[in-house]
Amino acid sequence: MKSTTLRIAVAALALCATSASFAADANAGGNEFVTTRITVTGAVAHPLDLTAADLARMPSHRIAELPLICQSGANRGKLENIRGVRLRDLLESAVIVAPGHNDVKKIAIVAAASDGYKVVFSWSELFNSPVGDGVLVFFERNGMPLADEEGRIALVSAADTRSGPRHVRWLQNIEVRKIVD
Ligand SMILES: Nc1nc2c(c(=O)[nH]1)N[C@H]1C(S)=C(S)[C@@H](COP(=O)(O)O)O[C@H]1N2
Ligand SMILES: [Mo]
């Protein structure tokens, strides 16, 4: 009886150790939401699947400093010395499917994170307004990979009045969707 109890205890301990090491392997450095690649899907001729290293080889832009302000008005710190690729450029490489003259005007682009957070852009915002210039998919801060709390790939819309909401940490997918007929 005693040895059976002992054996069960040893087995339970072994199980704990195994699941703990599995969890450590699954989350690239301590945060279960960290993403290491993004996809561009939906109404595109060439879906993309890119790592931070792939993004680093594309034409990039830098933001020296951007205060992060929540929708509530609360100050959430700032983004400093980040480097990223314009979302517009990624969508141009994926080639949005919009055969009709008026199709682009009905297209929305949904940027989704691994924690379920999502934000929306319109095609017109990205391709036909000054907002588009400031929408970066970024992967570097001070020349280093992004830390676990936002990385490895994130997005920001630098021209927004309040920049917090469309600062998407742990970016995972960009989906192109025609939302009205
Ligand atoms: N993936 C993800 N990104 C996110 C959020 C979130 O919940 N998940 N919250 C947003 C909001 S509302 C703000 S104001 C900014 C700053 O939030 P922080 O203070 O949690 O960094 O991150 C934004 N990005
Ligand atoms: Mo926010």
Side-chain angles (χ1 to χ4, degrees), residues 38-42 44 46-50 87 90-91 94 172-176:
I38 58 157
T39 49
V40 179
T41 59
V44 291
H46 307 291
L48 307 177
D49 181 346
L50 303 165
L87 178 55
L90 289 179
L91 295 170
Q172 187 167 53
N173 174 246
I174 304 291
E175 194 195 346
V176 178

Side-chain angles (χ1 to χ4, degrees), residues 110-134:
V110 183
S114 59
D115 63 338
Y117 191 71
K118 292 188 175 89
V119 302
V120 176
F121 294 90
S122 67
W123 180 94
S124 301
E125 244 185 320
L126 296 175
F127 289 86
N128 193 25
S129 96
V131 169
D133 293 348

Side-chain angles (χ1 to χ4, degrees), residues 42-107:
V44 291
H46 307 291
L48 307 177
D49 181 346
L50 303 165
T51 63
D54 295 331
L55 292 167
R57 285 189 285 272
M58 299 178 69
S60 65
H61 301 267
R62 288 172 194 276
I63 295 175
E65 186 175 326
L66 182 76
L68 282 178
I69 312 295
C70 179
Q71 197 64 49
S72 68
N75 192 322
R76 300 280 190 189
K78 55 188 171 184
L79 293 178
E80 272 178 296
N81 198 13
I82 58 165
R83 181 162 82 99
V85 172
R86 278 194 181 128
L87 178 55
R88 194 170 61 213
D89 292 343
L90 289 179
L91 295 170
E92 270 176 350
S93 354
V95 184
I96 293 179
V97 178
H101 177 66
N102 291 323
D103 286 348
V104 288
K105 300 151 198 170
K106 295 175 271 194
I107 282 176

Side-chain angles (χ1 to χ4, degrees), residues 20-29:
S21 62
F22 259 114
D25 288 348
N27 64 40

Side-chain angles (χ1 to χ4, degrees), residues 107-175:
I107 282 176
I109 291 97
V110 183
S114 59
D115 63 338
Y117 191 71
K118 292 188 175 89
V119 302
V120 176
F121 294 90
S122 67
W123 180 94
S124 301
E125 244 185 320
L126 296 175
F127 289 86
N128 193 25
S129 96
V131 169
D133 293 348
V135 182
L136 295 190
V137 171
F138 66 99
F139 49 86
E140 222 176 75
R141 179 194 290 264
N142 295 321
M144 301 289 288
L146 302 183
D148 287 356
E149 65 263 22
E150 72 180 347
R152 306 287 177 268
I153 306 173
L155 174 146
V156 72
S157 178
D160 286 10
T161 307
R162 287 187 170 164
S163 52
R166 291 202 289 190
H167 165 232
V168 180
R169 293 180 266 129
W170 314 306
L171 184 66
Q172 187 167 53
N173 174 246
I174 304 291
E175 194 195 346

